[in-house]
Amino acid sequence: MENKRGQWGSSFGFLMAAVGSAVGLGNIWGFPYKMGANGGGAFLLIYLILVVVVGFATMLGELALGRKYGRGAVGTYAAIGKKWTWVGYMGVASGFFILAFYSVLGGMVLRYMVGFIAEMFGMTGFGGLGSGEFFGGFTTNAGSMLIYYAIFMVLNIIIVSGGIEGGIEKFSKIAMPALAAILVVIIVYVAVQPGAGAGYAFMFVPKFEAFATNGFFNILRTAAGQMFFSLSLGMGCMITYGSYLGKEQNLDTNMVIIPVADTCIAIMAGMAVMPACAAFGMDYGRGPGLLFVTLHEVFSTGMGGFIGSLMGFLFYFLVLIAAVTSSISLLEVCTAYLIDKKIEKGEEPDRKKLTLIIASIIFVVGIPVALDGLGAGRAGGAALDIPATFLGITENIPMAVDCWLDLYDCLAEGIMMPLGALMMSILIGWVLGTKVIKDEVEETAGVKLTMYKFMEICFKFIVPVIMAIVLISQIMDFFG
């Protein structure tokens, strides 16, 4: 099975791919704006605690189950017991819906990168429009949105079609060091801007009054949801990547390296974004508009000139790399499901064909996200109405149906991901027993699972409670 499915060529290659899966728009975009909207340092403190008590254990559980059974998410849970198969399907479905809207956002990032390249060479990459005006015009331009969405999806197809070692690993070994290098350049440049210090203070000095202003449980569930999305947990990615690991790979070490590296890059992204906003008088917590409006304004107006265009290009190139390293893992989750089905039937899987088939289906499902103007609807000049209009909801529209992106996000990040993680923790903590994970870790010669008792407590008590809080909070948020 391993030869037909593929396998990682090296420990470094696997780590770059796994960290790349974790590092995505959730780090470069989601982490800074959610931190900005939730008290800065107070949010960061809660986030770091959650990485230790939830992220490490869940990462270990997914990698260990994937390696133990050598299958993707559906095959892994089916091997545990047929009654658990639905949990695997939720992982694949969440990856499917996330990729459907994630690729639209990836295409938008690509458009902004191209715009700043044009500005560097004296052309009007953004049509001479202000950041808000360009954003509104671009998102309601069906042709442009579809073209860049398609280009981004083709990039994913090319990489995943190349296989585990020849495609995903090969790309990640180049992309992740490049991402880190670009991020350092941007951080250094931003650090010397007058007024940048206020951004660092906002990030690293906890202001606990935020717990009263925003609500402790609101910050907790936002930090937990961000951590899960950022680490690619609950969507089958780490189970699938774990299924390509050999027994010589040290899971005890990997469960720490991946979350720590992901968290470091998220903090570094904050160190690039928060001080830049402070230096040029922009709002920290602008929300989704932070990436496509606020930062566009920082580079084109705040910095301005060739340097501003260069920094803008580097930043959006950085975000594009992060988006691709994550999206290929989501596409691999879906592709691995089809590959496993072929192998179960005794057939030879054609990876290129299967990748193209599933990517094409995802592309079609994602078209509404590209056509509704990210919630503008036909009333706002977009080509397609929002889901609420189709459902006949005209007043008090819940977030779950205020745009197609939020609808897909509600299904995936709002329900299936936290529910899947909750069920996995119950399965490991109370059904199979944590010794299953311990035994799999210690299949590697000379390796002992450190902090086993702590991991057991996490699986039995901490992860289920946190995931239940996240699940309930997400449903309340999306449905008001």
Side-chain angles (χ1 to χ4, degrees):
M1 176 165 298
E2 287 182 351
N3 290 334
K4 292 182 179 180
R5 297 181 79 252
Q7 198 164 11
W8 301 110
S10 65
S11 296
F12 177 74
F14 159 69
L15 286 173
M16 289 299 97
V19 172
S21 174
V23 174
L25 292 176
N27 295 73
I28 312 298
W29 169 32
F31 184 83
Y33 94 70
K34 288 178 182 177
M35 181 166 56
N38 289 277
F43 174 88
L44 178 59
L45 179 62
I46 296 297
Y47 185 91
L48 293 176
I49 293 172
L50 287 171
V51 169
V52 174
V53 300
V54 178
F56 286 172
T58 311
M59 179 67 67
L60 177 64
E62 293 204 359
L63 289 175
L65 289 178
R67 191 179 77 169
K68 178 177 176 62
Y69 294 103
R71 299 184 178 114
V74 174
T76 291
Y77 283 104
I80 292 171
K82 293 297 182 183
K83 64 181 180 181
W84 294 97
T85 306
W86 66 276
V87 181
Y89 276 114
M90 278 202 310
V92 174
S94 63
F96 181 97
F97 282 110
I98 289 171
L99 188 56
F101 71 76
Y102 197 92
S103 297
V104 175
L105 296 173
M108 292 173 64
V109 171
L110 179 62
R111 170 63 184 91
Y112 276 73
M113 186 192 79
V114 170
F116 276 111
I117 292 175
E119 296 283 341
M120 284 171 58
F121 293 97
M123 295 179 281
T124 55
F126 299 101
L129 302 175
S131 56
E133 190 179 359
F134 174 79
F135 178 75
F138 173 50
T139 54
T140 54
N141 186 321
S144 293
M145 288 289 285
L146 286 174
I147 288 171
Y148 283 98
Y149 171 33
I151 294 172
F152 185 84
M153 186 62 81
V154 168
L155 289 174
N156 282 268
I157 293 171
I158 292 171
I159 295 168
V160 174
S161 293
I164 300 306
E165 185 176 356
I168 296 173
E169 181 176 348
K170 186 176 181 180
F171 174 78
S172 300
K173 285 164 71 172
I174 297 171
M176 290 310 297
L179 181 150
I182 294 171
L183 191 50
V184 169
V185 170
I186 295 173
I187 289 172
V188 171
Y189 179 80
V190 168
V192 300
Q193 302 304 310
Y200 297 119
F202 179 78
M203 277 189 67
F204 296 115
V205 179
K207 294 181 179 179
F208 296 109
E209 57 266 28
F211 294 149
T213 304
N214 295 66
F216 175 77
F217 280 102
N218 281 333
I219 294 177
L220 175 65
R221 65 95 183 159
T222 302
Q226 168 62 26
M227 181 201 65
F228 254 71
F229 186 81
S230 177
L231 289 175
S232 296
L233 299 173
M235 58 182 86
C237 291
M238 291 304 156
I239 290 178
T240 303
Y241 274 17
S243 71
Y244 303 123
L245 284 170
K247 296 295 184 182
E248 75 282 357
Q249 298 286 347
N250 189 332
L251 298 181
D252 189 43
T253 301
N254 291 340
M255 77 161 177
V256 176
I257 292 176
I258 298 168
V260 168
D262 173 76
T263 302
C264 286
I265 292 179
I267 293 172
M268 290 171 69
M271 292 172 63
V273 173
M274 297 299 173
C277 289
F280 298 101
M282 303 298 175
D283 182 9
Y284 296 125
R286 184 79 179 263
L290 177 67
L291 180 62
F292 297 114
V293 180
T294 304
L295 289 171
H296 179 198
E297 194 170 339
V298 165
F299 297 122
S300 62
T301 305
M303 295 182 185
F306 177 80
I307 291 296
S309 297
L310 175 61
M311 287 295 117
F313 160 69
L314 288 176
F315 179 79
Y316 285 102
F317 182 47
L318 158 76
V319 179
L320 180 66
I321 293 174
V324 173
T325 56
S326 285
S327 58
I328 57 177
S329 70
L330 294 169
L331 182 54
E332 179 59 28
V333 168
C334 301
T335 302
Y337 167 69
L338 297 182
I339 289 175
D340 287 347
K341 297 298 287 184
K342 286 287 185 181
I343 293 174
E344 286 173 12
K345 294 178 181 178
E347 301 175 9
E348 189 72 27
D350 185 336
R351 170 174 279 272
K352 290 182 173 60
K353 180 180 178 181
L354 295 177
T355 303
L356 181 60
I357 290 172
I358 195 67
S360 298
I361 296 171
I362 293 170
F363 180 82
V364 171
V365 172
I367 287 176
V369 180
L371 296 184
D372 80 337
L374 298 186
R378 290 191 179 183
L384 187 69
D385 279 321
I386 63 174
T389 303
F390 285 96
L391 297 173
I393 302 173
T394 57
E395 296 181 4
N396 301 319
I397 298 173
M399 187 169 70
V401 291
D402 67 355
C403 69
W404 288 94
L405 188 156
D406 282 340
L407 174 60
Y408 292 172
D409 193 26
C410 170
L411 294 172
E413 188 181 359
I415 299 173
M416 290 186 285
M417 282 175 57
L419 180 57
L422 173 62
M423 297 309 299
M424 188 202 73
S425 63
I426 292 172
L427 176 65
I428 293 174
W430 298 99
V431 180
L432 295 176
T434 53
K435 193 173 183 297
V436 170
I437 301 301
K438 182 177 185 292
D439 290 345
E440 181 58 34
V441 170
E442 294 178 356
E443 280 284 308
T444 303
V447 172
K448 295 291 182 183
L449 177 58
T450 57
M451 302 185 297
Y452 171 58
K453 289 298 181 183
F454 174 70
M455 288 291 128
E456 189 170 38
I457 292 171
C458 290
F459 278 120
K460 285 188 173 182
F461 305 107
I462 300 177
V463 177
V465 170
I466 296 297
M467 285 302 98
I469 291 172
V470 171
L471 177 60
I472 294 169
S473 299
Q474 294 281 54
I475 291 173
M476 290 173 64
D477 264 8
F478 276 109
F479 292 99

